[in-house]
Amino acid sequence: MEKIEILFSKKEIEDRICEMANQINQEYNNDEVILIGVLKGSFIFIADLIRKLNVKNNVDFISVSSYGDKTETSGVVRLIKDLDHDISGKNIIVIEDIVDTGLTLKYLVDLLEQREPKSIKICTLLNKVCRRRVELNIDYIGFDIDDYFVVGYGIDYAQKYRSLEYIGNVIIQEDK
Ligand code: IMP
Ligand code: MG
């Protein structure tokens, strides 16, 4: 069994996303941007973020797999679904739910850079800096967190808990 302990409430998430959107609005101004959501974990974050943007935007999704149903990355990233858009010459922001070792994003950024976008930025709601295994420059960070395994607000544990409105820390309890 697992127990979930609240880390960020619905209100805290909402407020932080407004701040992040304001930052993006200021930086892109009149320039168009394509938000690229990394499925599935980012789907709720991207939906809330995009509704706070007043810059011209477009949305696309990409899907990669590295975890299966485990809580540790295997380090091997596989492309499951590619983008629908041609991103060459476009401003793109890759939208992640959480950056852990950074291996997934490193793979994605390398892949997307080959397509020669005009600019590429990274935006993540959660950042587990202490777990990083590769160097990554993240442009927009919602919250830095310690080494917790988190769920909720789109983020899952073995496909569960995505629909929680808050973000919580999973505590695994041994069955007696
Ligand atoms: P990374 O490649 O190790 O940075 O892992 C990135 C991906 O692993 C994220 O996009 C998440 O989908 C998943 N992930 C990492 N940490 C967590 C967590 O605490 N809870 C749920 N999924 C996680
Ligand atoms: Mg993810």
Side-chain angles (χ1 to χ4, degrees):
M1 267 304 293
E2 309 97 49
K3 205 180 99 194
I4 314 293
E5 205 176 66
I6 297 185
L7 276 182
F8 302 106
S9 68
K10 183 180 173 190
K11 174 78 169 62
E12 285 173 303
I13 300 168
E14 239 170 56
D15 290 350
R16 186 67 191 118
I17 289 176
C18 278
E19 292 171 358
M20 296 173 88
N22 287 340
Q23 201 186 340
I24 295 173
N25 284 335
Q26 278 167 19
E27 284 174 23
Y28 287 85
N29 228 337
N30 293 325
D31 235 1
E32 180 171 358
V33 64
I34 305 180
L35 302 187
I36 299 180
V38 184
L39 291 173
K40 299 177 201 170
S42 70
F43 78 111
I44 294 180
F45 175 39
I46 202 170
D48 283 348
L49 182 72
I50 205 166
R51 284 178 288 176
K52 302 282 180 225
L53 293 184
N54 52 34
V55 285
K56 203 168 165 210
N57 62 71
N58 208 327
V59 69
D60 204 340
F61 291 97
I62 197 162
S63 181
V64 290
S65 131
S66 61
Y67 271 43
D69 279 347
K70 302 189 197 72
T71 58
E72 272 290 314
T73 183
S74 61
V76 181
V77 184
R78 197 160 53 95
L79 186 65
I80 309 272
K81 182 216 167 283
D82 205 341
L83 298 174
D84 298 330
H85 290 82
D86 175 7
I87 56 165
S88 75
K90 303 281 171 64
N91 295 307
I92 62 171
I93 307 179
V94 181
I95 311 286
E96 258 287 25
D97 50 354
I98 174 160
V99 185
D100 186 50
T101 62
L103 290 165
T104 307
L105 263 182
K106 176 80 173 66
Y107 167 87
L108 273 177
V109 167
D110 289 350
L111 179 85
L112 298 175
E113 264 173 354
Q114 290 167 21
R115 302 180 188 178
E116 301 182 337
K118 179 175 171 192
S119 70
I120 175 163
K121 290 201 177 187
I122 298 176
C123 171
T124 188
L125 184 59
L126 302 173
N127 184 34
K128 280 193 227 173
V129 127
C130 60
R131 296 258 310 159
R132 201 61 34 84
R133 278 163 55 184
V134 287
E135 207 180 306
L136 263 186
N137 187 16
I138 308 181
D139 303 279
Y140 310 101
I141 295 172
F143 303 99
D144 283 309
I145 60 169
D146 291 332
D147 187 9
Y148 296 124
F149 194 83
V150 298
V151 291
Y153 196 73
I155 304 168
D156 75 305
Y157 169 58
Q159 302 303 321
K160 290 189 292 184
Y161 305 117
R162 289 195 200 276
S163 57
L164 296 179
E165 290 193 291
Y166 55 86
I167 291 170
N169 171 24
V170 182
I171 298 159
I172 314 272
Q173 297 174 317
E174 294 293 328
D175 287 327
K176 294 202 184 81

